[in-house]
Amino acid sequence: MAEAEAEDTHTDTDTYAELAAVGPYGVRPGHALITLVEPHPGHEFAYNRWYEDDHYYAGAMAMPWMYAGRRWVATRDLQLLRYPAESAVAEPVTAGCYLSTYWVTEGRYDEHMKWTVGINKRLNRDGRVHQERTHVFTAFQDHEATVYRDGAAGPRDFHALDHPYKGLVLEVVDAESAERRRELLEWLRACHLPRALAGSPAAMVTIFRPTPLPGDRMTYVKQVEGVDTRLTLLWFLQEDPRECWEAHFTERDAAVAESGLGRVGLVAPFIPTVPGTDLYVDRLR
C-alpha cells in the first residue's frame, strides 16, 4: 500500500526542464487576472487572513507564468467615491472591498489556465477555499495597450505591480457594440488617455480585454460578461486617490460618453494593502 501511495504522488521532475526549454518566456504582461471580491459581512478578517496567508501564494503566485501580483483595498470612504450609481459591473456599486491584480507572461495563458483550474480544484477538495465571499468582477484578460504619462521615463508596465504606487483606479468601459470596441480602444490609446494623463498623478494606464473563463472553472466564479465589448483600465497612481479624485477622476463617465464610442460601467479607487497585516479590515463597512 505504501508503495502504491508513493507512486501516485510521484512527480517526474524532468518534465519541468522540458517545459522550461520551449515557448515564450518574456517579461511583458501579456495577460492579467483581475479579481474584485466582496467578503461576506462578519467574515472580513477571516477572508483577509486566508487570502494573504494561503490563497495569494497557493492559488496564484506559486503557479507557472504568473510572475507579479498585488492586492488593493477599498475602505468605506473609497467605496463611496465610486460611480456610476447604476453600475454594469458592481451591484450595489460599493460591492467589492478587495481587488487583486496579477500579471501572466505573454503567450502563456493556456498553460497557466490548465494549472490554475487544476490547483483550484485541489484547493477546494482539500478545504482550502474560503467560501464566505462573492466574486463581483473576476476575469482573466488579454493586454491591449499601455499608455505612459512620461514616455520612456519611469517604471514600465511589467514593473507596475512591484513599484510602490500609492493607489489604483479600476475603470471598466463597454463599447457600444463588439464592432466598435477596436475604435474605442484606439481613441483611448491615441487620443484620450495621453491628454488625461498629462499633469495627473497617474504614471500609466494599462488596458486589457476580458477573455471567457474555461467551462471547467470553479462554480463560485461566474462566467465573464462583456467579452466582446468590454475594456478594463488600471490607472496606477503616485498619490492616494482621495487626494486627486475631484481633480482627475470625477468625470470619467462623461468623457467616454461624449466620444459616442462607449459607456463607463465602473470607476473605483483603491489603495494597496500592507501584506501580512489586517490594516484597513476594520474600515470596510
Side-chain angles (χ1 to χ4, degrees), residues 147-168:
V147 182
Y148 296 100
R149 182 192 60 202
D150 302 324
R156 304 293 84 195
D157 50 15
F158 47 86
H159 301 126
L161 302 185
D162 296 309
H163 188 78
Y165 286 113
K166 295 183 179 179
L168 178 140

Side-chain angles (χ1 to χ4, degrees), residues 36 82 84-96 136 265-266:
L36 179 63
R82 295 180 184 180
E86 298 297 323
S87 171
V89 176
E91 186 179 348
V93 70
T94 53
V136 177
L266 179 66

Side-chain angles (χ1 to χ4, degrees), residues 111-229:
E111 291 95 329
H112 176 77
M113 287 305 298
K114 288 289 186 181
W115 189 285
T116 192
V117 170
I119 201 67
N120 276 286
K121 286 183 177 180
R122 182 180 179 186
L123 290 168
N124 193 58
R125 184 176 65 246
D126 293 346
R128 287 174 62 181
V129 174
H130 187 89
Q131 302 294 344
E132 298 298 330
R133 76 198 198 283
T134 298
H135 282 265
V136 177
F137 176 71
T138 293
F140 280 88
Q141 314 222 9
D142 287 343
H143 180 256
E144 286 285 0
T146 300
V147 182
Y148 296 100
R149 182 192 60 202
D150 302 324
R156 304 293 84 195
D157 50 15
F158 47 86
H159 301 126
L161 302 185
D162 296 309
H163 188 78
Y165 286 113
K166 295 183 179 179
L168 178 140
V169 175
L170 168 69
E171 179 178 359
V172 181
V173 184
D174 285 303
E176 290 298 329
S177 65
E179 294 75 21
R180 301 203 74 184
R181 181 167 66 177
R182 178 57 55 179
E183 188 179 353
L184 172 62
L185 172 63
E186 287 306 307
W187 173 75
L188 288 167
R189 182 190 63 80
C191 300
H192 179 64
L193 290 178
R195 292 196 300 266
L197 283 168
S200 83
M204 72 177 82
V205 181
T206 57
I207 309 175
F208 294 88
R209 58 175 174 82
T211 60
L213 289 170
D216 56 352
R217 71 191 184 279
M218 301 309 297
T219 56
Y220 49 76
V221 182
K222 67 180 180 179
Q223 186 52 273
V224 179
E225 300 174 350
V227 168
D228 296 326
T229 58

